[in-house]
Structure formats: structure tokens, C-alpha cells
């Protein structure tokens, strides 16, 4: 009882000064104004309606300013993540909002009041929805699935209780509460779907799941009815839908690949959910592979299957962009002549690196010493490299560290094999770094023989399909 009273008091203290307005209809491209009062690098990123990541950072060059400003054109609410100082703050922003980020105080003011701070508040309560629950769990046939689902439910119910409490004590709007509840349920279902989307390295397959577990998932098909959440305002709902297609594909005995998912979505979904699922499957296919349109039946049929022509137009533009991108990375003078530094201090150009590896398949790892996910993948990369010894596959690691000493220290701490791999450091502000990372690391690029860019958004070393892909490309 005492803990419950203290929790309610904490809610009241945190929320008494906040406002309660949400999702008012706005005209197209109404800007949101975002102020930042900090002095260390801080940036924001979000996913648009077409699954493309948008990001920008605050310009801190003028040291005389007490706050720095970004004007963000929006035509609808979008879930944005602010990142810096080891913080990751998810915030739902709508057109015409004016917000102030105060990193030292750990708060964001303005805009939608308590609704603006809802997702950060979940993080403070240690029930964040930033990544699927138990993503790092080691799935095995001996896993106690009933206890696992109980824990998933516990997290879901706690999040819902927080949302209900905020609504009751701080007048959280009914519309926002409804979306928050849908996001929370989406995160719960997504956790249940992890076996179908998460790479497994210990021999576990979805065939090891008990029948009752699969039956539990079958009940959620009717959940996917929220057309208004198929936008950048709810990443949880969109991710959940795509993961559910993987489950439906398994149940329909379709191949465990993009073609199988596409066929499943085309047959079992309807309306806007069908359009979005088909679009996202093709979009992911284009990100992960450099296969030309002539080589894929999937790419030859999307324009007829997808009714929303905005999706079709985006896919056509993506295909054209990928072709240009692949060519530019290996031909544009400003990129190929960019100098990098070896671990022993010599200078080498990107053109020379490509030439030295022309006869091989290259698995390019873009990373940095300060990037935690990058470092977490390194043991998997070493393991994969050892498994492919004797194959015509070269592992190339390019760090975008600005500090050479930190780069070398990280190589030593991670026990990276210097002689068996190629390690380089690249100016993080260079055009080549921008082209290879697109502003996000870790990034994995697959280059087939003769320097043909196969995938600019390749799979991670921890994914089972990575080894298969690299071996196939050597043939």
C-alpha cells in the first residue's frame, strides 16, 4: 500500500504542471520548433511513413546561444527519438508543437504536456518500449515458455497501469490514451513474436515452440485494425504487424524469406494493412539486397498488388536511388579518392582498398569505439570470420572514430585479429563516411566480386543468414 501511495504521489509531482491536448488536425507541413538547452552533441531521428530514417542534429557552433533550435516540417504526428549524453528519449510530436529539451533536468517541456513526456516517463519507470522485451534472451527448446509469457504480461500490465494512472490523475486525453494502450499491446505481441524475427545461433527454430504458444499468437490477427497507426506515429504497431506476417507465413508453410512473407501478406491481409505490409516487405528487400529488378518476381509484381500509389512511387524511387548509390560508391572521384588510415599509421584510399579486394566478397563493418551495438557485434564478427576461413571472403572494418588512440584501444580490448582482417579509420565528417553509414552505425555493407555493391544495408554478423549470403556470393 505504501509503495502504491508513493507511486501515485510521484505521478502527481511529475505531471501537475503539464497540459492535456493531443493530435489536433493540422494543415500539411506545419513546422514543429524544437529548442535544446544543452552544450553537448544532441540529435534526433525518426522513421517516416515510408520507413526511411530521418535524422538531424543541433548546431552547437555558436557558443553564445543559451539554446539551439531545429525547425522540423511535419504534416502529421510522428514518434521522434532524441539521442545524446547516453540518453534515448522517445517523444510523440505533432505539427505546430514548440518544445524545449532540458537534458540536465531530464525533461521536455511544451507541446502536448504530459502526453509529450509519456514515453520518457515509461523509461524512467524502467518499463521502456524502446526495443522488444527480452530481445537478448537465449531462445532454446528447454525455455520455460509459460513463465516467459507471464513476464511479458507483467510488463504489459504495468505499462497499462501507468497509462491509466496518468489519464486519471492528469487528464490524459482519451485519444492519446487509446494510442498508448495500442502501442503497449503491440509491444507485448511483438515480444511473443520474437522467435519468428530474431536471429538464433544455438540451433533453436520456431518448430521448437509448443502448440499452445502458436495458438496464443493465432488470436491476435483481429488486433490489426488501426489504419491510423500505419504511419510514423507508432513504430511499435508497424513493427508488430510486420512480425505477425512472419508468424502467418510460418503457419501457412511459406518459405522463410521475403518472397514467402510477401505471398502471405498478399493472401491474408486486406486494405491499408495489406498495402503497408507488402510495401514494407519490398522496402526491406531493397535495403538488404542488391539484386536487380529482373532477378526477383517480388519486385516485378508490387506495382500491381499495392493499391496505394504513394507506396509504389516510393519503391520506384528507391530502386533508382539504389542503382545510383551502388555506382557512386565505387566510381565517384570524391569518394574513391578519400584517404583512410591503417592500424599502423599508413594512408590508403578507398579506391586502393576496393582494388585490393576485387577478387573477393567483402563484408564491410562500419563502426566506432563509442558505439555499444557495434562492439556487441564484434565477437559474432570474429566467429563468422573464423567460420569462413578458406573462402574468398574478406572482412573489412572501418571505424569513424575521431580519436585514433580510442580506436586502437578498442581494437585491443575487443581482441580483434589485426593480421587476419583489414582495419581502417575514416574521417567521420567525410563524404565517404556519410555515404557508407547514412548517419547510422553499426552499418554492414556487402560487396560482391569485382567491386559490385550487393547490399548497403546488409545483415549483422549475428544473423544466421549472413553466413549463407556470403558463401553464396563466392560461387
Amino acid at each position: 500500500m505504501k509503495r502504491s501511495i508513493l507511486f501515485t504521489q510521484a505521478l502527481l509531482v511529475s505531471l501537475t504542471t503539464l497540459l492535456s491536448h493531443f493530435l489536433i488536425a493540422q494543415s500539411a507541413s506545419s513546422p514543429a520548433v524544437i529548442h535544446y538547452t544543452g552544450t553537448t552533441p544532441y540529435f534526433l531521428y525518426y522513421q517516416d511513413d515510408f520507413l526511411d530514417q530521418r535524422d538531424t542534429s543541433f548546431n552547437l557552433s555558436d557558443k553564445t546561444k543559451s539554446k539551439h533550435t531545429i525547425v522540423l516540417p511535419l504534416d502529421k504526428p510522428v514518434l521522434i527519438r532524441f539521442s545524446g549524453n547516453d540518453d534515448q528519449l522517445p517523444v510523440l510530436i505533432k505539427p505546430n508543437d514548440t518544445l524545449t529539451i532540458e537534458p540536465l533536468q531530464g525533461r521536455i517541456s511544451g507541446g502536448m504536456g504530459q502526453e509529450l513526456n509519456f514515453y520518457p516517463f515509461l523509461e524512467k519507470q524502467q518499463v521502456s518500449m524502446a526495443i522488444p522485451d527480452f530481445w537478448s534472451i537465449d531462445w532454446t527448446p528447454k525455455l520455460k515458455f509459460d513463465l516467459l509469457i507471464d513476464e511479458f504480461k507483467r510488463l504489459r500490465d504495468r505499462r497499462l497501469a501507468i497509462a491509466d494512472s496518468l489519464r486519471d490523475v492528469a487528464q490524459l486525453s482519451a485519444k492519446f490514451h487509446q494510442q498508448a494502450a495500442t502501442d503497449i499491446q503491440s509491444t507485448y505481441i511483438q515480444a511473443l513474436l520474437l522467435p519468428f524475427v530474431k536471429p538464433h545461433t544455438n540451433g533453436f527454430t520456431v518448430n521448437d515452440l509448443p502448440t499452445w504458444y502458436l495458438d496464443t499468437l493465432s488470436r491476435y490477427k483481429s488486433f490489426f485494425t488501426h489504419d491510423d497507426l500505419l504511419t510514423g506515429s507508432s513504430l511499435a504497431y508497424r513493427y508488430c504487424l510486420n512480425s505477425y506476417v512472419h508468424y502467418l507465413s510460418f503457419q501457412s508453410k511459406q518459405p522463410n524469406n521475403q518472397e514467402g512473407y510477401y505471398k502471405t501478406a498478399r493472401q491474408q491481409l486486406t486494405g491499408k494493412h495489406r498495402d503497408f505490409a507488402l510495401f514494407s516487405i519490398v522496402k526491406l528487400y531493397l535495403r538488404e539486397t542488391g539484386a536487380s529488378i529482373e532477378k526477383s518476381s517480388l519486385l516485378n509484381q508490387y506495382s500491381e498488388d499495392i493499391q496505394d500509389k504513394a507506396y509504389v512511387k516510393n519503391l520506384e524511387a528507391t530502386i533508382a536511388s539504389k542503382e545510383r548509390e551502388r555506382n557512386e560508391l565505387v566510381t565517384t572521384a570524391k569518394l574513391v579518392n578519400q584517404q583512410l588510415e591503417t592500424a599502423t599509421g599508413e594512408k590508403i584510399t578507398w579506391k586502393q582498398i576496393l582494388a585490393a579486394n576485387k577478387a573477393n566478397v567483402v563484408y564491410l563493418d562500419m563502426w566506432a569505439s563509442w558505439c555499444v551495438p557495434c562492439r556487441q557485434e564484434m565477437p559474432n564478427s570474429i566467429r563468422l570470420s573464423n567460420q569462413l576461413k578458406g573462402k574468398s571472403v574478406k572482412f573489412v572494418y572501418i571505424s569513424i572514430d575521431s580519436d585514433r588512440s580510442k580506436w586502437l584501444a578498442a581494437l585491443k580490448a575487443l581482441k580483434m585479429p589485426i593480421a587476419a582482417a583489414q582495419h581502417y579509420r575514416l574521417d567521420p565528417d567525410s563524404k565517404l563516411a556519410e555515404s557508407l553509414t547514412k548517419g547510422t552505425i553499426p552499418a554492414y555493407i556487402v560487396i560482391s566480386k569485382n567491386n559490385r555493391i550487393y547490399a548497403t544495408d546488409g545483415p549483422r554478423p549475428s544473423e544466421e543468414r549472413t553466413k549463407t549470403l556470403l558463401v553464396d556470393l563466392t560461387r
Side-chain angles (χ1 to χ4, degrees), residues 4 20 142 239 259 365 459:
S4 175
S20 59
K142 297 181 180 180
Y239 288 154
E259 281 85 356
D365 184 332

Side-chain angles (χ1 to χ4, degrees), residues 7-8 11 118 121-122 125 127 153-169 172 177 181 184:
F7 174 70
T8 302
L11 289 174
F118 175 72
F121 188 77
L122 287 184
Q125 297 300 313
V127 286
K153 287 179 178 178
R154 185 192 68 79
L155 286 170
R156 179 198 61 186
D157 293 344
R158 187 178 176 201
R159 291 166 180 148
L160 288 172
I162 291 173
D164 292 345
S165 297
L166 293 176
R167 177 193 58 192
D168 295 341
V169 304
L172 198 70
H177 180 269
I184 291 167

Side-chain angles (χ1 to χ4, degrees), residues 73-103:
L74 297 176
D75 60 0
K76 61 173 68 71
V78 65
L79 185 67
I80 290 178
R81 294 195 71 84
F82 294 99
S83 180
N85 306 318
D86 297 323
D87 294 327
Q88 290 279 332
L89 291 177
V91 179
L92 189 64
I93 295 179
K94 67 177 179 61
N96 288 330
D97 271 344
T98 298
L99 320 175
T100 299
I101 305 168
E102 302 171 278

Side-chain angles (χ1 to χ4, degrees), residues 211-223:
T211 301
W212 64 264
Y213 191 105
L214 299 174
D215 290 342
T216 298
L217 288 171
S218 69
R219 305 187 193 116
Y220 291 111
K221 190 173 183 179
S222 60
F223 172 72

Side-chain angles (χ1 to χ4, degrees), residues 192-349:
L192 296 178
L193 291 166
L194 280 179
F196 298 90
V197 296
K198 181 181 182 294
H200 301 293
T201 58
N202 58 1
F204 175 85
T205 72
V206 290
N207 292 307
D208 295 317
L209 293 171
T211 301
W212 64 264
Y213 191 105
L214 299 174
D215 290 342
T216 298
L217 288 171
S218 69
R219 305 187 193 116
Y220 291 111
K221 190 173 183 179
S222 60
F223 172 72
F224 299 101
T225 59
H226 304 275
D227 288 351
D228 58 318
L229 296 185
L230 295 172
T231 66
S233 66
S234 178
L235 300 186
Y237 186 75
R238 297 203 295 188
Y239 288 154
C240 186
L241 172 63
N242 288 335
S243 298
Y244 201 72
V245 170
H246 288 217
Y247 159 74
L248 292 175
S249 185
F250 167 77
Q251 291 292 75
S252 303
K253 296 181 170 42
Q254 294 291 341
N256 184 30
N257 55 34
Q258 301 298 344
E259 281 85 356
Y261 306 147
Y262 187 94
K263 186 175 181 180
T264 299
R266 186 177 58 186
Q267 292 177 345
Q268 298 200 39
L269 300 181
T270 61
K272 292 183 178 180
H273 282 70
R274 180 178 184 268
D275 269 2
F276 176 78
L278 294 178
F279 166 77
S280 61
I281 291 166
V282 177
K283 188 84 171 191
L284 182 60
Y285 179 87
L286 290 172
R287 284 178 179 170
E288 293 184 343
T289 179
S292 65
I293 192 167
E294 294 83 6
K295 293 183 179 180
S296 172
S297 59
L298 181 153
L299 294 183
N300 283 326
Q301 63 193 66
Y302 74 82
S303 61
E304 296 181 4
D305 293 335
I306 299 175
Q307 300 304 304
D308 189 330
K309 296 310 174 187
Y311 286 148
V312 174
K313 185 177 180 180
N314 181 270
L315 291 174
E316 290 172 345
T318 301
I319 291 171
S321 175
K322 282 186 69 68
E323 287 299 322
R324 289 194 305 271
E325 184 180 79
R326 294 194 308 181
N327 292 330
E328 289 173 355
L329 278 173
V330 296
T331 61
T332 302
K334 188 172 183 179
L335 299 183
V336 298
N337 292 327
Q338 173 68 46
Q339 284 195 335
L340 298 88
E341 181 184 17
T342 69
T344 52
E346 291 87 4
K347 299 296 182 183
I348 188 172
T349 65

